[in-house]
Amino acid sequence: MNTTQITTAQRIKAIVGGSVGNLVEWYDWYAYAAFAIYFSNSFFPDSDLNAQLMNTAGIFAVGFLMRPIGGWIFGSIADKIGRKKAMTLSVLLMSFGSLLIALTPTYKTIGILAPALLLIARLLQGLSVGGEYGVSATYLSEMASENRRGFYSSFQYVTLIGGQLIALGIQLILQKLLLTETQLEEWGWRIPFVIGALLSVIALYLRANLHETEAFENKKEVSDKKKGTVTELLKHPKALLTVIGLTLGGTLAFYTYTTYMQKFLVNTVHLTKEQSTLISFISLFIFACLQPVFGALSDKIGRRPLLLGFGILGTLCTVPLLTALSTTTSMWTAFFLIMAALIIVSGYTSINAVVKAELFPSEIRALGVGLPYALTVAIFGGTAEYVALWFKQAGTEQYFYWYITGCILFSLIVYAGMKDTKDNSSLDKD
């Protein structure tokens, strides 16, 4: 059957199944970032907080280095044997990584083995989440109706942000209601990783009952030599380079204002851990709600105007916003500055998945979306926190603000030169 025969109920089931699995994967991924301020001293013996955070951020960045491999492996699986099977395997791997972090003894107990096991767990999670993005972006884009692709695919970032919200929500509950700071640092930080492993079972069930996409089914007769191979992918150099340029500024801005921001508020703005968690939670909740709004807007006016809006405003406003944020003493001023930044970033986050999916034919779509994206995120998004802390330690934190600006400017040049994928979509050829 063709896509016009897919019912609304099937589309909703696809969004729920694809998105909930995505939410669990990203919850597990972000739990590490959210609780790093509590478990860093359990794995690294240095008494200096900034040094401990740098070590923890270093392992966070190394996890990102596995993402291109995950994008390649799971992208190939999705293009060769199906989007559904690839998404099911990725959530299983993430579950195992979370369980390993939850059960790893501290440095005081097993010495150097503790950070080594933390590294292994992070590598497994990086492999998993690297595959998750490309496959779920492809799945949601392919299951959407032609005139609502921006809206449907925006739910990938709703659940991506939602994963972080759940991690922060659990952190707030543990901080304010259940545990003392000492208990959180001694053993309480393990709780979110146990929860993540359990949530994966629910995601696994939902994904096992998903429909495969018509775009994949319609290309079953295509030779396996053309499906999900790097050789075939390299025949689309313009699309590959577009994904890299499209992603570069957006991913750096996204990770700066989400995962790194909590530490920035504690380390630079000198708010309490509880205040920074609360600001992060409220701002991210609003940010998540904005994604479908921006996605639906792109279905009306096109993808390119939103990308240009992010590129222009991001280039002009990043240094003023972060400079003002670094000098404020007010919790609510900090919130409004972060919120302004997240509204700007929404021009990228809400539609980047569908834009990438619209660039590639279905036989290499998951690989084409996942691999160049994961490479770019590994180099720029995954290192954002580490680079920021390095500049801070060197006493030149403001250089980081200019670094972000330069990367967004590079992406803006790409946005200005590309066609609007809404009107030139490979998805229409499926």
Side-chain angles (χ1 to χ4, degrees), residues 55-260:
N55 284 327
T56 314
I59 288 185
F60 186 77
V62 169
F64 274 84
L65 296 180
M66 292 300 285
R67 288 177 64 166
I69 302 172
W72 170 51
I73 293 172
F74 286 98
S76 294
I77 291 170
D79 287 329
K80 286 179 184 294
I81 65 172
R83 308 348 184 177
K84 174 182 161 182
K85 288 178 182 174
M87 290 196 298
T88 304
L89 286 170
S90 71
V91 84
L92 264 175
L93 196 60
M94 181 61 81
S95 172
F96 183 74
S98 285
L99 205 54
L100 187 57
I101 295 175
L103 299 177
T104 296
T106 64
Y107 187 92
K108 286 179 183 176
T109 308
I110 59 169
I112 196 69
L113 270 177
L117 285 171
L118 180 67
L119 177 61
I120 290 168
R122 239 6 227 179
L123 292 177
L124 290 174
Q125 289 190 323
L127 200 66
S128 168
V129 88
E132 173 64 25
Y133 175 88
V135 182
S136 62
T138 299
Y139 184 80
L140 290 172
S141 298
E142 289 180 347
M143 288 300 290
S145 54
E146 184 181 341
N147 62 342
R148 308 208 64 194
R149 285 179 188 143
F151 174 74
Y152 273 61
S153 62
S154 71
F155 281 88
Q156 185 182 39
Y157 261 79
V158 172
T159 50
L160 191 155
I161 301 158
Q164 193 168 359
L165 277 173
I166 294 174
L168 288 172
I170 288 171
Q171 189 174 32
L172 281 169
I173 291 167
L174 293 176
Q175 283 174 341
K176 295 191 175 297
L177 300 176
L178 301 178
L179 302 176
T180 63
E181 183 150 335
T182 303
Q183 288 173 322
L184 270 168
E185 288 176 354
E186 288 178 353
W187 57 268
W189 60 264
R190 296 182 187 275
I191 295 170
F193 296 105
V194 174
I195 292 170
L198 294 173
L199 285 174
S200 297
V201 178
I202 300 167
L204 194 61
Y205 170 78
L206 287 167
R207 288 197 159 174
N209 289 283
L210 286 178
H211 274 80
E212 187 53 85
T213 71
E214 291 299 315
F216 175 78
E217 295 288 354
N218 290 341
K219 291 294 178 79
K220 276 193 168 177
E221 74 283 355
V222 174
S223 167
D224 277 350
K225 292 180 181 178
K226 290 190 172 183
K227 287 182 182 177
T229 64
V230 174
T231 305
E232 196 67 25
L233 184 61
L234 291 174
K235 293 177 183 177
H236 301 267
K238 186 178 179 183
L240 268 172
L241 292 172
T242 300
V243 170
I244 292 168
L246 180 81
T247 305
L248 196 153
T251 189
L252 179 57
F254 174 75
Y255 280 99
T256 297
Y257 294 119
T258 57
T259 53
Y260 174 60

